[in-house]
Amino acid sequence: MTKIHPTAIVEDGAQIGNGCVIGPYSVVGPNVTLHDGVELKSHVVVAGHTSVGEGTTIFPFASIGHQPQDLKYAGEVTRLEIGRNNQIREHATMNPGTAGGGGLTKIGDNCLFMMSTHVGHDCVVGNGCILANNATLAGHVELEDHVILGGLSAVRQWIRVGKGAIIGGLTGVEFDLIPFGSAIGDRAHLAGLNLVGLKRSNLPREEIHALRAAYREIFESEEGTLLERAARVAEAHADRPLVKTVTDFMFARENRRFMTPRGEG
């Protein structure tokens, strides 16, 4: 059965699923949908046109769905969609989209957002991502699946981070980070591949070796431009799925700037 604490406020129009728990002093707005099994611990505010997927738990003092931190926002209806089985910890903030960014901020399933993390307007976060304490995403950031951000890291607006990548603590990300990449630094540089994550995923050893060879060819060679080297690697390793993930990411959008061992490429 759904449990709503007597001190909580659930406004008329809110849709509350089966088995939800709404804790003390929490506030749920009129355009919010909480799917089955969502738990708001206490002092949680969920506002705006926000949908929270089943099994998600939100901890005290989180602010979810309030208007975007964008001076161009003029009150238009935009949305925040949060997937299933996420943990959103204390003081985390998540904003809906803006008209100029497509109107939607979207969070996948099985993510962990630690204390005081921020997801800005129009972001897209994949499945299984982890944002450590105080990690922040500016507007329009895209995180693919299983990305990890270290504490106090920050990703600039419009940046893409490929699947399986890891960003160290206190790192500022200004350029796209390839899938499985590892980034560190005050202004981040590419520090190799996320080999720990690759090994934990139980991927075939030969595929990891192929990816390491491709990485060296793309980022350590000095023959041709970065994209020319990536094109040669894509042709030479067309039968290697991990390599293809990286090269597809690099060629998916035009006029992108990629993080390299020297910073920008």
Side-chain angles (χ1 to χ4, degrees), residues 44-206:
V44 174
V45 180
V46 185
H49 289 76
T50 298
S51 172
V52 182
E54 62 185 62
T56 289
T57 301
I58 306 179
F59 286 75
F61 303 105
S63 174
I64 307 299
H66 281 105
Q67 72 181 55
Q69 298 177 82
D70 184 335
L71 293 175
K72 298 186 295 299
Y73 181 73
E76 60 270 19
V77 173
T78 58
R79 306 189 318 281
L80 168 63
E81 294 181 3
I82 299 172
R84 299 174 297 171
N85 301 317
N86 292 292
Q87 292 189 54
I88 302 172
R89 297 303 304 249
E90 296 83 356
H91 298 279
T93 57
M94 295 182 178
N95 295 153
T98 62
L104 174 65
T105 301
K106 188 168 184 177
I107 310 295
D109 303 333
N110 303 303
C111 296
L112 171 59
F113 298 88
M114 296 187 195
M115 181 272 295
S116 295
T117 51
H118 174 67
V119 178
H121 59 84
D122 305 293
C123 288
V124 178
V125 177
N127 300 319
C129 293
I130 298 174
L131 276 67
N133 297 341
N134 294 286
T136 60
L137 305 180
H140 312 280
V141 169
E142 298 178 31
L143 301 186
E144 295 186 348
D145 294 346
H146 304 295
V147 170
I148 299 174
L149 272 68
L152 294 163
S153 60
V155 183
R156 186 176 65 81
Q157 65 268 26
W158 299 104
I159 292 300
R160 296 182 303 146
V161 180
K163 67 180 293 186
I166 186 168
I167 296 168
L170 294 167
T171 296
V173 178
E174 297 182 300
F175 308 111
D176 288 2
L177 176 59
I178 60 167
F180 316 114
S182 171
I184 58 173
D186 175 23
R187 286 297 180 262
H189 64 273
L190 189 60
L193 295 169
N194 181 14
L195 292 174
V196 172
L198 288 165
K199 291 173 182 176
R200 286 176 178 172
S201 299
N202 295 316
L203 292 163
R205 183 184 297 270
E206 60 271 19

Side-chain angles (χ1 to χ4, degrees), residues 8-28:
I9 297 173
V10 179
E11 298 191 46
D12 291 343
Q15 301 182 47
I16 310 299
N18 296 322
C20 290
V21 177
I22 301 176
Y25 301 102
S26 293
V27 179
V28 180

